[in-house]
């Protein structure tokens, strides 16, 4: 409850100091959720989270004080410079590249529910503040780096949590690009992404799946569960005609209207790479480890022989 209140304070505040206070409440309420006495990995993850977020909060507070000095005391401070510092602090808070290094390592130590909160709810406040600033140059660099690193980072991962983390960085690049053009499209993209992540992580949590090899050997008997899980995988990757393609389509359409062809090319190429590793997982799960048909054929042959 306190975490939700912290986010709402940040979104509804009318000063940088109020936004900082909301972010701090959010941070201090999320850390007790992370720490688990039985698991040393989660304790390490909560410490990493605290250190990175505290650094970002310090930078944010420092730069907002600089802005207040400029406005109240007419000191000679470059406003665009302080805005860029605020922006980089918010990008660090949200886990966007080039400030993404803490994010995959931290995800590795969390439970699935905490991972879901980190990937969805904890991004609302920093992204809202980024949409208020909207510094085009820094956002452009961050978008390009996020989509490339999110795509390439997931290629050689066997841990599902790290895979979801790099996927999240890639989607964050798309969200930041939609912030550049329209706030409503950003909200639509975020809602779709949260919905798909919730379904996928809910299934991972039920079946206690943490690594790729578990995916291949788990659903040999239940086709429906297998199909629904991998269709969600492909949907999260943005493969048409699944649901996850719709928000990407909206972003593509708006970026073409704004003549951002270079950015769009990089984003679509990176999405193809993410789709490649999702498809690779799905092919392996559907084709290679599917015992049922072979067994059925052998059983049918045996029954025919006995009948004869």
């Amino acid at each position: 409850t306190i975490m939700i209140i912290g986010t709402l304070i940040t979104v509804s505040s009318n000063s940088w100091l109020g936004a900082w206070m909301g972010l701090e409440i959010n941070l201090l309420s999320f850390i007790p959720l992370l720490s688990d006495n039985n698991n040393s990995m989660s304790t390490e993850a909560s410490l990493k989270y605290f250190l990175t977020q505290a650094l970002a909060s310090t930078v944010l507070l420092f730069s907002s004080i600089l802005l207040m000095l400029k406005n109240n005391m007419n000191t000679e401070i470059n406003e665009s410079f302080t805005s860029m510092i605020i922006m980089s602090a918010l990008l660090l808070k949200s886990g966007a590249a080039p400030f993404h290094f803490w994010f995959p390592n931290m995800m590795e130590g969390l439970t699935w529910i905490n991972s879901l909160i980190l990937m969805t709810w904890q991004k609302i406040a920093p992204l809202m503040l980024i949409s208020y600033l909207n510094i085009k140059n820094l956002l452009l660099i961050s978008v390009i780096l996020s989509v490339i690193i999110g795509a390439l980072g997931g290629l050689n991962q066997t841990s599902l949590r790290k895979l979801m983390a790099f996927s999240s960085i890639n989607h964050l690049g798309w969200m930041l690009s939609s912030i550049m053009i329209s706030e409503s499209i950003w909200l639509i993209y975020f809602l779709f992404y949260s919905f798909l992540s919730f379904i996928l992580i809910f299934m991972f949590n039920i079946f206690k799946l943490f690594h790729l090899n578990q995916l291949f050997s788990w659903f040999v008997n239940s086709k429906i569960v297998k199909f629904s899980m991998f269709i969600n995988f492909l949907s999260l990757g943005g493969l048409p005609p699944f649901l996850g393609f719709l928000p990407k389509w909206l972003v593509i359409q708006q970026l073409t209207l704004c003549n951002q062809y270079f950015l769009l090319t990089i984003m679509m190429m990176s999405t193809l790479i993410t789709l490649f590793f999702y498809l690779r997982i799905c092919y392996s799960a559907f084709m290679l480890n599917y015992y049922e048909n072979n067994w059925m054929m052998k059983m049918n042959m045996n029954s025919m022989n006995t009948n004869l």
Side-chain angles (χ1 to χ4, degrees), residues 16-21 23-24 54-68 85-86 89 93:
W16 283 111
L17 207 61
W20 169 80
M21 189 178 72
L23 287 168
E24 284 299 296
L55 172 66
S57 296
T58 312
V59 173
L60 182 69
L61 187 61
F62 171 70
S63 45
S64 56
I65 288 167
L66 281 179
L67 274 180
M68 286 167 76
I85 296 174
I86 291 177
K93 269 195 171 294

Side-chain angles (χ1 to χ4, degrees), residues 285-299:
F286 282 137
M287 307 274 182
L288 303 182
N289 293 65
Y290 203 56
Y291 311 119
E292 188 182 349
N293 296 337
N294 304 341
W295 283 111
M296 290 301 285
M297 281 178 70
K298 283 181 182 175
M299 282 170 69

Side-chain angles (χ1 to χ4, degrees), residues 84 87-88 91 95-100 130 134-150 169-170 172-178 180 255 260 262-264 266-267 270:
M84 280 183 79
M87 189 77 150
S88 53
L91 289 170
F99 312 103
H100 67 285
I130 286 169
N134 204 352
I135 301 169
K136 285 281 194 294
N137 297 340
L138 193 59
L139 262 182
L140 201 67
I141 294 164
S142 184
V143 167
I144 291 168
L145 285 173
S146 292
V147 292
I148 290 171
I149 287 165
I169 292 167
N170 184 273
L172 196 59
W174 280 80
M175 282 181 228
L176 290 172
S177 69
S178 57
M180 283 165 61
L255 281 171
Q260 296 277 4
F262 172 68
L263 178 65
L264 193 57
I266 292 173
M267 285 165 67
S270 72

Side-chain angles (χ1 to χ4, degrees), residues 2 19 23 28 44 53 67-68 79 94 102 109 127 143-144 151 165-166 174 186 198-199 203 208 218 267 290 296 301:
I2 295 169
L23 287 168
L28 292 173
E44 185 191 334
Q53 298 293 320
L67 274 180
M68 286 167 76
E79 193 170 337
S94 58
W102 60 275
L127 286 174
V143 167
I144 291 168
F166 281 110
W174 280 80
W186 165 63
F198 171 75
I199 295 169
M203 293 181 86
K208 297 285 179 284
W218 200 261
M267 285 165 67
Y290 203 56
M296 290 301 285
M301 291 295 288

Side-chain angles (χ1 to χ4, degrees), residues 147-148 151-152 155 268-278:
V147 292
I148 290 171
L152 297 178
L155 276 175
M268 287 171 75
M269 294 287 277
S270 72
T271 306
L272 286 175
I273 297 170
T274 54
L275 259 178
F276 164 71
F277 63 74
Y278 281 139

